């Protein structure tokens, strides 16, 4: 009986990307993103309604209840994203870490918004915390978008926009403009000359006039800047 020959070479198989594990991860992150978008919409509505309470008619207690609910949901989101394990593919763990940190910063800012609302100041603390909340949200959106790009499958989630830019300071400059008008006027001069010739008198009047010239000078003076710095990365 002839001896068996060597086994035929085998071709290694590579699981296609995205795998089922990656798609499951994307589905989990989609659920997180939907909740984050709803949270931002509710935060903007609650704070805007309070700032315009003379028109909206909201009460202090109504607003406090809404902000308490937002704080609770933000803390729950931070905990829930921490339970999601990203696949070790194509940089997904790095982007997931960024999204997780951003949600932690959003949760901290939501706590500060409520504390600022309850404080006796004029709303400065609450508005500052709101700016931190929205800046952290923009960082989450950036990380989520990169996760979707890596996986290469449509996100199926439309996140609200805030008009802010992540990790960039927001600067507001007020300018005071003063316009000064200088007038230069030359007085009209009249000279009379009288000639007498054999009993006939002739009077000649010469008049010299220079027009008035006006010059306008505009001076712009900056009177104030208010800069909100980016939120530092914090580990949880």
């Amino acid at each position: 009986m002839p001896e068996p020959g060597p086994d035929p070479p085998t071709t290694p198989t590579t699981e296609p990307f995205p795998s089922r594990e990656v798609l499951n991860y994307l589905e989990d992150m989609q659920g997180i993103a939907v909740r984050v978008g709803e949270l931002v919409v509710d935060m903007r509505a609650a704070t805007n309604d309070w700032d315009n309470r003379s028109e909206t008619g909201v009460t202090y207690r109504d607003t406090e209840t809404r902000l308490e609910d937002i704080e609770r949901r933000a803390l729950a989101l931070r905990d829930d994203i921490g339970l999601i394990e990203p696949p070790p593919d194509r940089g997904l763990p790095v982007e997931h870490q960024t999204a997780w940190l951003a949600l932690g910063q959003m949760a901290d800012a939501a706590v500060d918004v409520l504390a600022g609302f309850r404080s006796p100041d004029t709303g400065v603390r609450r508005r500052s915390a709101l700016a931190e909340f929205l800046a952290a949200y923009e960082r989450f959106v950036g990380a989520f978008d990169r996760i979707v790009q890596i996986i290469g499958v449509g996100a199926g989630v439309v996140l609200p926009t805030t008009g802010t830019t992540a990790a960039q300071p927001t600067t507001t400059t007020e300018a005071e403009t003063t316009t000064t008008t200088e007038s230069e006027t030359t007085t009209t001069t009249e000279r009379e000359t009288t000639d007498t010739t054999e009993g006939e008198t002739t009077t000649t009047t010469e008049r010299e006039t220079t027009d008035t010239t006006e010059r306008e000078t505009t001076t712009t003076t900056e009177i104030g800047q208010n800069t909100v710095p980016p939120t530092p990365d914090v580990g949880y």
Side-chain angles (χ1 to χ4, degrees), residues 57-210:
V58 298
T59 65
Y60 177 89
R61 182 53 190 158
D62 289 339
T63 304
E64 184 180 40
T65 300
R66 293 167 73 179
L67 293 179
E68 287 172 345
D69 178 65
I70 291 169
E71 177 192 64
R72 176 187 57 78
R73 290 157 57 195
L75 293 171
L77 274 167
R78 181 191 64 188
D79 294 340
D80 290 347
I81 194 174
L83 299 176
I84 299 175
E85 188 70 26
D89 297 82
R90 307 189 184 190
L92 289 175
V94 174
E95 300 302 341
H96 183 85
Q97 178 77 1
T98 302
W100 177 55
L101 288 174
L103 271 185
Q105 291 159 356
M106 288 181 66
D108 290 343
V111 173
D112 288 342
V113 168
L114 179 58
F117 175 75
R118 289 169 171 166
S119 67
D121 71 4
T122 58
V124 174
R125 180 179 176 184
R126 174 177 60 85
R127 294 187 182 95
S128 176
L130 176 62
E132 296 288 345
F133 179 88
L134 296 176
Y137 167 68
E138 291 293 340
R139 285 189 281 273
F140 171 84
V141 171
F144 179 72
D145 286 345
R146 289 188 294 272
I147 288 171
V148 173
Q149 291 172 3
I150 290 172
I151 297 175
V153 178
V157 175
V158 178
L159 293 172
T161 59
T162 63
T164 62
T165 303
Q168 294 293 329
T170 301
T171 304
T172 302
T173 303
E174 297 179 359
E176 181 179 286
T177 302
T178 303
T179 302
T180 304
T181 302
E182 298 179 0
S183 298
E184 182 180 309
T185 305
T186 303
T187 306
T188 301
T189 304
E190 294 183 354
R191 292 194 302 272
E192 289 187 356
T193 303
T194 303
D195 295 328
T196 304
T197 305
E198 295 182 356
E200 183 178 12
T201 302
T202 302
T203 301
T204 303
T205 303
E206 297 180 0
R207 176 172 297 172
E208 183 179 320
T209 305
T210 302

